[in-house]
Amino acid sequence: MEITDIIREENKVYSAPQLLDEVDMHYCPGCSHGVVHKLVSEVIHEMGLTETTVGVSPVGCAVFAYNYIDVDWVEAAHGRAPAVATAIKRLWPQNTVFTYQGDGDMAAIGTAESIHAANRGENIVMIFVNNAIYGMTGGQMAPTTLLGQKTATTPYGRRVDLNGHPLEITELMKMLDGTCYVTRQSVHTPAAVRKTKAALKKAFQNSLDKKGTSVVEVVSTCNSGWKLSPEKANEWMVENMFPKYPLGDLKDI
């Protein structure tokens, strides 16, 4: 077999997602956002939803999500993505609508919008990227920052008496009657990537089936905010994040 034939065969097995725009990533090397973008774009394309999908991008590291995935987007004010997504879905119920939120967006300034949209059972998908830190603004403590974790605003580690407990927003989402699917995944290994893609596909299908709100949390790394190499950040996540935020389905109706 000629080398060109081999390359052609390989391209049939794996190629760049059709909906992922050919632009330079602004994320730090090792950041999980790029992998999540890839999976979202693949799922939308494979499900045939390209022309009917609307994403709502956040404020935070993923503020420019609309630059990467070639579907319609609306930019929301910080934390208001679920409220904006609610309006879009109700005005255009034939469209598939998803939010893309970080821990500050969903679990801090947008807690009310996120919880009440989910409690109403809006037929939207909430994608929640949790890296336990405010990566965009200098590495400050986030609601999901672990106890003892050092950040720019907790240089000696997060303390219960001073900073309170980490907010397990996904566990709260599980308790709401309006949620039909709540899951926590990651993208640190090939196997984890496959599971996250399957979770995203199920969430989008739930929206099509009008089952209610689906929440897909992706436990992620922030090697620049954590002051670790990409490899060490993955190890730190497994050793420290997963015990607090264990992977798997929390709710599946």
Side-chain angles (χ1 to χ4, degrees), residues 1-248:
M1 181 179 289
E2 298 291 335
I3 186 64
T4 53
D5 294 329
I6 295 174
I7 294 173
R8 195 175 296 115
E9 287 297 318
E10 288 180 349
N11 287 339
K12 291 181 182 178
V13 176
Y14 182 85
S15 60
Q18 293 193 21
L19 291 186
L20 202 61
D21 291 330
E22 293 185 12
V23 294
D24 293 335
M25 284 279 178
H26 77 283
Y27 302 114
C28 302
C31 177
S32 301
H33 275 299
V35 180
V36 181
H37 285 7
K38 171 182 176 292
L39 297 180
V40 172
S41 63
E42 286 179 347
V43 166
I44 293 171
H45 174 70
E46 291 170 9
M47 295 183 70
L49 303 176
T50 302
E51 301 301 324
T52 57
T53 294
V54 180
V56 184
S57 58
V59 173
C61 284
V63 65
F64 300 121
Y66 50 77
N67 281 340
Y68 303 114
I69 304 174
D70 191 14
V71 295
D72 290 328
W73 286 88
V74 175
E75 175 67 39
H78 200 183
R80 315 308 176 216
V84 174
T86 295
I88 296 169
K89 184 64 177 179
R90 292 191 178 196
L91 287 170
W92 292 282
Q94 73 278 10
N95 285 352
T96 302
V97 184
F98 73 94
T99 66
Y100 192 97
Q101 301 175 254
D103 36 57
D105 209 72
M106 178 175 279
I109 192 170
T111 307
E113 286 80 0
S114 298
I115 287 179
H116 286 289
N119 194 50
R120 292 192 302 267
E122 304 292 345
N123 287 300
I124 61 176
V125 177
M126 295 183 183
I127 301 170
F128 167 39
V129 181
N130 175 17
N131 57 20
I133 202 168
Y134 288 162
M136 182 185 188
T137 54
Q140 299 91 341
M141 185 192 77
T144 54
T145 295
L146 302 175
L147 292 178
Q149 184 176 350
K150 295 180 179 180
T151 72
T153 48
T154 57
Y156 302 105
R158 180 174 189 163
R159 291 165 37 191
V160 172
D161 61 330
L162 183 62
N163 313 113
H165 295 275
L167 180 59
E168 297 172 296
I169 186 74
T170 306
E171 275 75 8
L172 292 177
M173 294 290 194
K174 176 189 70 174
M175 298 171 62
L176 304 177
D177 291 337
T179 55
C180 62
Y181 181 51
V182 180
T183 188
R184 180 182 289 125
Q185 303 294 334
S186 190
V187 291
H188 64 300
T189 66
V193 169
R194 289 193 294 271
K195 289 180 180 179
T196 301
K197 183 174 180 178
L200 289 167
K201 188 167 289 188
K202 177 181 284 191
F204 277 88
Q205 188 61 52
N206 286 341
S207 179
L208 294 174
D209 295 339
K210 301 179 181 179
K211 290 185 175 181
T213 305
S214 293
V215 181
V216 180
E217 175 182 350
V218 183
V219 182
S220 305
T221 60
C222 181
N223 46 288
S224 59
W226 296 352
K227 311 303 180 187
L228 297 169
S229 69
E231 181 182 7
K232 292 295 183 182
N234 272 333
E235 293 175 1
W236 192 91
M237 177 178 65
V238 172
E239 294 172 2
N240 298 276
M241 293 276 284
F242 289 176
K244 180 63 175 177
Y245 305 112
L247 305 187

